[in-house]
Amino acid sequence: MSTLRFNALKETLNRKPVKVEEKGRRSEAFGKNVFNEHAMLQHLTKDAYQSVMNAIEYGTKIDRKIADHISTGMKEWAISKGATHYTHWFQPLTGATAEKHDAFFETIGNGRAMEKFGGGQLVQQEPDASSFPNGGIRNTFEARGYTAWDPTSPAFIYGTTLCIPTIFVAYTGEALDNKAPLLRALQAVDTAATAVCKYFDKNVSKVNASLGWEQEYFLIDSALASARPDITLTGRTLLGHSPAKGQQLDDHYFGSIPTRVMNYMRDLEQECMLLGIPVKTRHNEVAPNQFELAPIFEEANLAVDHNSLLMDVMEKVAQRHQFKVLFHEKPFSGINGSGKHNNWSLATNTGVNLLSPGKTPMKNLQFLTFFVNTIKAVHNNEELIRAAIASASNDHRLGANEAPPAIISVFIGSQLSAVLDELENVTKGKLSPQEKTDLKLNIVGKIPEILLDNTDRNRTSPFAFTGNKFELRAVGSWANCAGPMTVLNTIIAKQLKDFKVEVDALVAEKGLKKDEAVFNILREYIKDSKKIRFEGNGYGEAWEKEAAKRGLSNNKTTPEALKAQVSEKAVAVYEEMNVMSKIEVEARHEIELEEYILRIQIESRVLGDIARNHVIPTGIGYQNTLIENVSGLKEIFGKDFKKLAAEQIDLIEKISGHIAGINSKVNAMTDERKKANKLAGQKAAEAYCNKVKPYFEEIRYHCDKLELLVDDNLWPLVKYRELLFTR
């Protein structure tokens, strides 16, 4: 009997739900551990408070003397909450968060000590940057990196540590993190969108990008997860035969949440409330043991920070409940994977959602302007968006039966498509009074009525309009939202900037009125970007053929997709919008290629180890039992034993065949891995993708067949039916 597997099952079945007590109203707990406006008003001087608010709203710098006042107030607040340490909390290019804790405690001589935290410690620190990915930006001996306070994302307390959100840059100034480029992209879209908004409302002085992410994940009992080396080391199962029952009955989606999971969710939500993460929705997802939570929309930078923090908190809370959280996009073969839908919109400081129609034709023309420009931006940069959601883990999900394909397209619904088709026929140049009236009353004016019944039903679209926002569905559940949000906001900023130049030119050179110029430019954008709009099923060869006819890219793998990151076109956009320099772009490309290589390399080694150290010995062990049985039958029945032992002999032969298949494929995979290891960069990534990775399914096939043949009592690995249905 496989001791580890059955002990893990026994431990899991004996679990009792961890009790969670509700601690009053959630609205009262919300943000208690956040140094937000309420906390600042209590602990900062008027000048210090105003300085922080100006930095948040207008991007002004904070004077160092004022920073000393802010740090003192922040320290006293943190200590009153039980904090003993502080850390600059940042997001290096590892995909995770990073922190180094320092105590407030300082000695002052004569055996005395005090709590100290100055403005210099708040504003900037110098962590050792040598072990973080840098993409060749600096040598190991040039290890200095700087973390710098981001006042737009409030400090918070987690446990006994004051966490200060920061950017992370090299000593030469290049960004070494996910936050710095995102902040630049948000500034770019603010500038460009505000300029366009002034066509419609002179009072608009700022535009914020908003983000609402939806986090999908699996919860597996920690004992079962620990009994699977592949889950422990790669975050997914590299082998395992599909159970007879999976998700085909659709009985898990929106079903009753299991008690242990519900208590985990309640505990997690209470932690989120204290940290100011506005989680609102929770439910069962489609696959067994798959779940989702989603927050209320927030400003994009804060939303990205909250999602990164949430993933850390989810793992820590899971430990209390004896769960393992799986964020991998495809932890189990044959059932739905997990995404992180990014719902994006733009909102003005006057309280207007620019992707939501208004009550007047002018407001609806404003909506159309941002709506069409977004589609045009995606059309012009679809390969860059594909690159932004590329990863070794997301490759398993994209194009599977529950996820968007690798082809980027835009879904807007038949009603809005009809509106755009009408606008294609707008007269070039000056419009007659009759045409203007007709446009504003019968086309633009009716948009709010159209959207009332424009419910999105196409779940296969990577980028869909859902009533008052666009939803980028292709982002993977393991991803940091900063990557796709940096790309999306950068390309929108570039598009809006170009749009304003073209409109202003028509007004100045052709003598068109502002609304006439807007209609003229939108008409051309609608025509130019028509091929990116797709209303049908995103699965299968039919759409792939149609997409190829339209000239859309179909970069199915990460090494293919990442090439777009460093194209001349992409670098030019990043540099024009002051989001990233060529050096920063190339560094990220190198880092993401290296991460892809390492993830496939690790999976290859783990799969080889499991196949040879767990699966083959188990197959041989059971085969020996069968051989003993056959020998015994031969001893008892003599030459007639073959009739009685026919099934056993057949099993012995089948097991031998699968063992041989595993061994030969593992050897071949190892040889290809050795060849790939002699390469670098793009060539190494392509070798791992095209030469090493294909062996995964071949090895898995033989392992999964052995799982069906071998005595259940001997099989060492926790099976799919146990991972997915043990509650």
Side-chain angles (χ1 to χ4, degrees):
M1 179 181 287
S2 175
T3 305
L4 182 60
R5 174 184 160 213
F6 285 99
N7 282 347
L9 280 167
K10 184 178 179 182
E11 191 176 337
T12 301
L13 292 169
N14 287 331
R15 300 277 196 215
K16 302 295 181 188
V18 176
K19 289 185 178 180
V20 178
E21 293 182 9
E22 293 287 345
K23 300 173 183 176
R25 293 189 178 191
R26 296 195 170 186
S27 58
E28 294 172 355
F30 185 71
K32 271 195 171 182
N33 288 346
V34 180
F35 197 60
N36 51 24
E37 284 189 48
H38 177 71
M40 285 193 288
L41 282 168
Q42 290 184 311
H43 291 86
L44 298 184
T45 63
K46 185 178 180 181
D47 287 345
Y49 169 79
Q50 195 57 53
S51 183
V52 176
M53 296 310 296
N54 287 342
I56 293 170
E57 292 177 21
Y58 307 114
T60 57
K61 289 188 177 181
I62 295 174
D63 182 83
R64 184 54 65 93
K65 288 182 180 179
I66 294 290
D68 285 330
H69 292 297
I70 297 167
S71 63
T72 299
M74 193 182 289
K75 177 196 70 178
E76 293 305 316
W77 170 79
I79 290 173
S80 74
K81 294 281 187 179
T84 59
H85 290 68
Y86 65 92
T87 183
H88 276 200
W89 183 81
F90 58 103
Q91 300 169 45
L93 298 171
T94 58
T97 58
E99 52 197 66
K100 181 190 74 166
H101 297 191
D102 286 303
F104 291 121
F105 173 83
E106 292 276 354
T107 57
I108 55 175
N110 299 320
R112 293 180 300 160
M114 65 180 291
E115 276 74 31
K116 186 179 178 182
F117 180 59
Q121 294 160 309
L122 166 65
V123 172
Q124 181 177 300
Q125 284 196 312
E126 188 180 329
D128 178 11
S130 61
S131 295
F132 289 114
N134 66 84
I137 285 178
R138 82 288 177 273
N139 296 308
T140 302
F141 65 85
E142 299 169 323
R144 280 179 297 159
Y146 297 103
T147 49
W149 177 35
D150 170 20
T152 64
S153 184
F156 57 91
I157 295 170
Y158 192 58
T160 58
T161 304
L162 170 66
C163 300
I164 303 156
T166 60
I167 62 169
F168 180 44
V169 296
Y171 80 102
T172 46
E174 292 90 0
L176 295 173
D177 69 341
N178 288 298
K179 180 185 273 280
L182 174 64
L183 289 173
R184 296 171 192 161
L186 294 174
Q187 184 176 359
V189 83
D190 172 18
T191 302
T194 299
V196 172
C197 278
K198 289 189 180 295
Y199 286 146
F200 308 98
D201 184 354
K202 298 291 185 185
N203 295 316
V204 174
S205 59
K206 186 173 179 60
V207 173
N208 281 322
S210 64
L211 169 64
W213 39 261
E214 301 167 26
Q215 181 69 59
E216 295 176 339
Y217 62 99
F218 282 83
L219 275 183
I220 305 300
D221 187 89
S222 56
L224 299 182
S226 296
R228 290 282 310 217
D230 46 359
I231 290 178
T232 302
L233 296 174
T234 72
R236 75 178 182 108
T237 55
L238 298 173
L239 49 85
H241 198 278
S242 296
K245 179 180 182 289
Q247 65 186 47
Q248 61 266 50
L249 296 178
D250 295 324
D251 55 345
H252 190 256
Y253 190 53
F254 279 20
S256 177
I257 300 171
T259 304
R260 276 186 69 197
V261 176
M262 177 63 83
N263 285 10
Y264 164 77
M265 289 177 169
R266 289 171 58 206
D267 198 357
L268 173 64
E269 287 165 0
Q270 289 189 41
E271 293 279 3
C272 287
M273 288 300 105
L274 294 171
L275 292 166
I277 305 173
V279 293
K280 186 174 178 66
T281 302
R282 64 189 184 201
H283 62 82
N284 287 1
E285 256 301 332
V286 175
N289 276 348
Q290 186 187 31
F291 308 94
E292 180 183 301
L293 82 161
I296 296 168
F297 278 59
E298 297 180 284
E299 184 275 326
N301 176 47
L302 183 58
V304 168
D305 279 0
H306 277 165
N307 183 250
S308 296
L309 176 59
L310 173 94
M311 292 171 77
D312 289 343
V313 175
M314 286 175 73
E315 291 183 329
K316 289 173 182 174
V317 174
Q319 291 172 13
R320 294 204 289 263
H321 293 258
Q322 290 85 45
F323 280 126
K324 170 75 174 175
V325 183
L326 301 183
F327 291 117
H328 194 288
E329 283 80 1
K330 196 77 171 177
F332 302 102
S333 178
I335 61 172
N336 278 21
S338 298
K340 182 166 1 202
H341 299 176
N342 277 207
N343 295 278
W344 172 89
S345 190
L346 294 171
T348 68
N349 63 306
T350 57
V352 175
N353 178 353
L354 295 172
L355 289 174
S356 183
K359 295 179 180 178
T360 66
M362 187 57 77
K363 287 293 183 186
N364 292 333
L365 183 55
Q366 177 177 266
F367 157 75
L368 267 178
T369 296
F370 285 91
F371 179 70
V372 172
N373 271 280
T374 300
I375 296 170
K376 182 73 160 58
V378 174
H379 168 269
N380 291 354
N381 301 277
E382 44 99 4
E383 285 195 278
L384 194 53
I385 292 176
R386 171 65 183 94
I389 49 93
S391 69
S393 51
N394 208 21
D395 278 359
H396 294 284
R397 170 178 164 264
L398 294 179
N401 287 339
E402 80 290 348
I407 303 165
I408 300 299
S409 64
V410 178
F411 173 89
I412 63 172
S414 57
Q415 296 94 330
L416 279 171
S417 288
V419 170
L420 298 193
D421 291 343
E422 291 268 8
L423 289 172
E424 275 192 57
N425 299 316
V426 171
T427 301
K428 188 173 182 179
K430 292 187 177 182
L431 309 181
S432 68
Q434 180 61 40
E435 187 175 11
K436 269 193 186 185
T437 302
D438 188 53
L439 276 172
K440 290 180 179 179
L441 291 180
N442 298 324
I443 298 177
V444 177
K446 289 185 178 178
I447 289 173
E449 297 168 30
I450 287 170
L451 288 182
L452 286 176
D453 197 34
N454 187 45
T455 306
D456 168 34
R457 299 292 182 193
N458 191 336
R459 308 307 294 171
T460 68
S461 174
F463 196 76
F465 184 69
T466 56
N468 59 1
K469 62 189 183 297
F470 278 98
E471 184 176 6
L472 179 55
R473 295 192 179 121
V475 180
S477 54
W478 222 349
N480 185 316
C481 297
M485 283 296 103
T486 297
V487 168
L488 186 58
N489 286 288
T490 300
I491 64 174
I492 300 294
K494 162 68 173 166
Q495 180 56 48
L496 290 172
K497 181 183 176 185
D498 291 348
F499 171 77
K500 187 172 189 305
V501 169
E502 292 184 61
V503 169
D504 288 349
L506 283 184
V507 172
E509 297 167 15
K510 302 291 184 180
L512 270 62
K513 291 184 178 179
K514 180 182 62 182
D515 54 355
E516 291 175 327
V518 168
F519 275 123
N520 269 260
I521 300 300
L522 291 183
R523 179 195 62 231
E524 297 307 311
Y525 284 0
I526 291 166
K527 291 177 181 177
D528 292 346
S529 61
K530 200 164 187 177
K531 70 180 183 183
I532 201 74
R533 285 161 36 205
F534 178 62
E535 307 296 314
N537 185 353
Y539 301 144
E541 291 183 13
W543 169 227
E544 290 193 12
K545 289 178 180 177
E546 172 63 21
K549 283 182 186 176
R550 296 184 182 198
L552 301 178
S553 66
N554 185 10
N555 298 322
K556 293 185 177 182
T557 68
T558 291
E560 255 185 293
L562 290 181
K563 290 177 184 177
Q565 275 186 332
V566 287
S567 67
E568 287 185 19
K569 178 182 173 183
V571 172
V573 170
Y574 283 127
E575 290 191 323
E576 181 184 343
M577 305 316 297
N578 295 314
V579 172
M580 283 190 282
S581 66
K582 185 177 181 181
I583 291 173
E584 289 172 318
V585 173
E586 290 175 344
R588 275 157 178 73
H589 179 252
E590 184 179 319
I591 288 166
E592 290 185 36
L593 277 179
E594 182 68 15
E595 182 184 354
Y596 179 86
I597 292 164
L598 292 174
R599 287 202 180 275
I600 303 300
Q601 182 187 77
I602 290 167
E603 289 189 353
S604 170
R605 294 175 64 184
V606 171
L607 179 57
D609 288 346
I610 294 174
R612 282 196 162 138
N613 297 331
H614 294 74
V615 176
I616 288 179
T618 303
I620 291 172
Y622 184 54
Q623 194 178 48
N624 287 338
T625 300
L626 293 171
I627 290 168
E628 287 177 22
N629 179 262
V630 171
S631 296
L633 290 172
K634 184 177 182 181
E635 193 175 313
I636 295 171
F637 296 103
K639 62 182 180 181
D640 294 329
F641 87 99
K642 286 188 178 179
K643 291 181 182 178
L644 299 170
E647 294 299 326
Q648 293 91 318
I649 292 170
D650 183 53
L651 273 174
I652 291 167
E653 289 176 351
K654 284 180 178 176
I655 290 170
S656 289
H658 290 305
I659 288 172
I662 292 169
N663 203 47
S664 66
K665 297 300 181 185
V666 170
N667 283 335
M669 178 180 70
T670 304
D671 289 342
E672 290 296 340
R673 195 170 69 229
K674 288 176 180 176
K675 292 177 188 176
N677 290 341
K678 294 177 182 177
L679 305 173
Q682 187 71 31
K683 288 184 178 179
E686 288 174 356
Y688 265 101
C689 179
N690 302 321
K691 300 292 186 180
V692 177
K693 191 180 171 187
Y695 283 107
F696 288 11
E697 285 305 311
E698 295 180 32
I699 294 167
R700 179 176 193 147
Y701 169 80
H702 292 293
C703 291
D704 290 356
K705 288 297 182 183
L706 275 181
E707 182 183 327
L708 286 180
L709 297 175
V710 169
D711 182 352
D712 183 63
N713 281 327
L714 298 177
W715 194 252
L717 300 170
V718 178
K719 296 189 174 184
Y720 264 35
R721 66 168 185 262
E722 296 154 354
L723 288 166
L724 294 172
F725 292 99
T726 306
R727 305 281 165 80

